[in-house]
Amino acid sequence: MPLLPAPLTFRDGVPYSETYADVYHSQAGALAQCRAVFLTGNGLPERWQGRESFQILETGFGLGLNFLTTWHEWRRMGSAAPRLHFVSLEQAPLARTDLSSALSTYPELAQEIRSLLSAWPPLTPGIHQLHFDAGRVILHLALGDMADLLPQLTLAADAVYLDGFSPRTNPVPWSEPVLRQVARLCRHGATLATWCVAGHVRRTLERHGFHTTRAPGFGTKRERLSACYDRIPEDAWRKIVQRLEQPALQATLKPPPQRHALVIGAGLAGCLVSAALGARGWHIDLCESQSGPALEASGNPAGILRPFPSRDDNRAARLARAGFLTTLHWLEHLKGKAKELPHGLNGVLRVAQDAVEAAHLFSLTMAPGNTEELLCWMTRVEAERLGQCTAPWGALFYPHAGWLDPGQFCRAALAQTPHLTTHWGHPVILQPGPAGWEARTPAGDLLVQAPTAILACGAHPLPLSDAPLWPRQRLRGQITQIDRSPVPAGTPVLCGSGYVIPDAPGGPCLGATYDHDTDPAPRRADRAENLQRLTALGLNCGTEHSVVQERVAFRSVSRDRLPIIGPVPGAEGLFALTALGSRGLVWGPLGADLLCAWLEGDPLPLEKDLVQAVAPARYR
């Protein structure tokens, strides 16, 4: 269902929900309520002492004041604070302008509020990861129906903020199915706090493994509730988790003792997963058969970055939307640190080729997972004015999309990666060994070994003597660069049967062909096909263009056109990040974040059905 923002109203100066006929927080003060009920009830910040990482689950984000107050207290600990993961669910989030208005009366949280508003995502269903304080604080904002989303989460909560509107008007957060899922997501020894002391809530919590106690309340509430998930022995709890969770989705309770990974392949997938793990303190050995990074498919001068919506918001569309937003975060993080990172996010214009396609593209604007921040429809006049092209049937416009130089993206990510050792010009074979995984040369000499290995080898065969039979295809693509742009600088990327990237480094980039041929040399027929894209968009105007460069690269594509990301079944310590197809810029950063979360025991950044959809286990 579409995600509907909550309207903001006030009653006696306190934000009020017309839907649930209840205030967002106590009249006695939101910040004091958070400290008295949720922080004190969970023993925070004292329980943060000596912890490397801490996960909090909240059942109602609301105005975000519990998160902001918790973050404010976390900052007061300075360098002694653990990495904080705050997982919060919200069915009816506020629009950015309303959220800003509601939070304007909290000057003591001004710094945190500015950061939250700056990172506030498009209001689309799913999990949004918002990074703060150099990635030390991550808000995992899960937007959508709580009863649907909770079973889709994978985390091991250390503390729970059981919050929501009154059970009288909003019974779902206090219901047995929701509280059962809350218990499933708790680590042994987790604490829980809530202002609600209703008998059915307390009894349900106790049935699912919580020991509850009443404590003095706050404001007009005489009592509040604290609980500890400690009535089930650790070994019994592990067995329960194993029964409830798919084996491929069990979150690691703690990172492996030795943070050392061997990454095979230095394209987008390999470079980004190396950077993600390196930022978490892992030592990375990166092996690449070429003489440097991004010299194959990731070496194209420019690639398109945009979501790929569908009318039914299917798994591929949800993955692409999550990946698009993740890449924007990566790009924002690297822009201030990279010496050179060519890109342009001035939009992508998807021009309809006929009336049938125009009707289809227009219908995407009403798909449940989309907002005007992500895409909007343009009439013929609007599209032709913006794109300086022919668009008789109109066009779909992605305002925050654009193009990115994938090779420079790879190099910028590696330049920020500590604890990195590169092995250029080394084709390797992976095999299990006494210390985990060994990378050996074709002659059998040991090059490097590590307890964890990641297959990021793109369109190359898997470097395993007993490789799994994943249905991957190797598809050829040729691009063409011309001497001058047929449209003014700053014009959005134009897509039709192919694409035109007017501002690509080295000259406008046209492409790309898509076939099963294995010929690595450029072909005249493919050049003519790429140049024809100008004519289809009305950009040729009888002018001859000189070809500056042509390039052939090969994509790895799975049978279902979804990437292959996750642990390899039957091979302990072996993971995959491959089959990104022609969407490496969309799925590469998302896959790197997913593998990093998996290996670190962090909350997974995707819903469980999407994790299953891309897992190598789907081919068993």
Side-chain angles (χ1 to χ4, degrees), residues 334-618:
L334 288 174
K335 274 195 305 186
K337 300 181 178 181
K339 293 182 179 178
E340 186 178 3
L341 187 52
H343 68 283
L345 298 181
N346 48 343
V348 171
L349 198 65
R350 177 72 168 85
V351 178
Q353 303 298 295
D354 52 39
V356 173
E357 187 179 19
H360 169 71
L361 293 178
F362 180 78
S363 71
L364 296 180
T365 63
M366 297 177 285
N370 297 311
T371 71
E372 286 195 357
E373 285 186 77
L374 292 179
L375 71 162
C376 58
W377 179 253
M378 284 194 164
T379 64
R380 171 181 181 172
V381 173
E382 294 169 327
E384 292 185 346
R385 182 187 302 121
L386 180 65
Q388 300 292 307
C389 63
T390 300
W393 303 101
L396 197 62
F397 183 55
Y398 303 87
H400 299 293
W403 64 271
L404 180 60
D405 182 332
Q408 291 288 36
F409 193 33
C410 290
R411 287 182 279 275
L414 290 185
Q416 305 301 319
T417 305
H419 321 298
L420 173 68
T421 303
T422 56
H423 306 271
W424 306 131
H426 284 287
V428 296
I429 300 295
L430 266 183
Q431 63 182 47
W437 290 91
E438 299 176 345
R440 293 186 175 271
T441 67
D445 298 325
L446 178 64
L447 180 65
V448 67
Q449 58 186 352
T452 301
I454 299 172
L455 300 169
C457 40
H460 290 285
L462 299 177
L464 297 165
S465 54
D466 186 19
L469 299 176
W470 297 334
R472 298 188 308 155
Q473 293 178 299
R474 179 178 164 91
L475 296 180
R476 180 183 182 278
Q478 180 173 324
I479 60 140
T480 301
Q481 283 191 277
I482 55 178
D483 57 341
R484 62 187 182 281
S485 176
V487 294
T491 301
V493 173
L494 304 174
C495 295
S497 57
Y499 61 78
V500 178
I501 305 177
D503 298 330
C509 186
L510 320 177
T513 60
Y514 211 88
D515 58 59
H516 293 81
D517 202 325
T518 59
D519 183 7
R523 298 188 301 219
R524 286 189 175 183
D526 289 1
R527 176 194 300 181
E529 182 179 335
N530 286 335
L531 291 173
Q532 176 60 28
R533 306 186 197 288
L534 294 174
T535 304
L537 291 166
L539 301 177
N540 203 329
C541 303
T543 305
E544 292 293 330
H545 291 276
S546 299
V547 173
V548 175
Q549 179 188 212
E550 293 186 282
R551 196 171 189 277
V552 173
F554 294 88
R555 319 171 183 93
S556 175
V557 180
S558 70
R559 179 172 56 202
D560 58 10
R561 294 302 191 266
L562 295 179
I564 301 174
I565 309 170
V568 178
E572 185 178 354
L574 183 63
F575 292 77
L577 177 50
T578 187
L580 304 185
S582 55
R583 299 183 182 178
L585 287 174
V586 174
W587 284 337
L590 180 65
D593 281 358
L594 176 58
L595 286 190
C596 185
W598 218 314
L599 287 165
E600 281 287 294
D602 295 342
L604 296 191
L606 285 174
E607 299 95 303
K608 190 182 297 184
D609 65 327
L610 297 183
V611 176
Q612 291 173 326
V614 300
R618 72 189 193 263

Side-chain angles (χ1 to χ4, degrees), residues 41-54:
N42 281 292
L44 303 176
E46 292 79 12
R47 288 179 60 216
W48 287 337
Q49 297 290 340
R51 294 292 300 270
E52 184 177 336
S53 179
F54 199 88

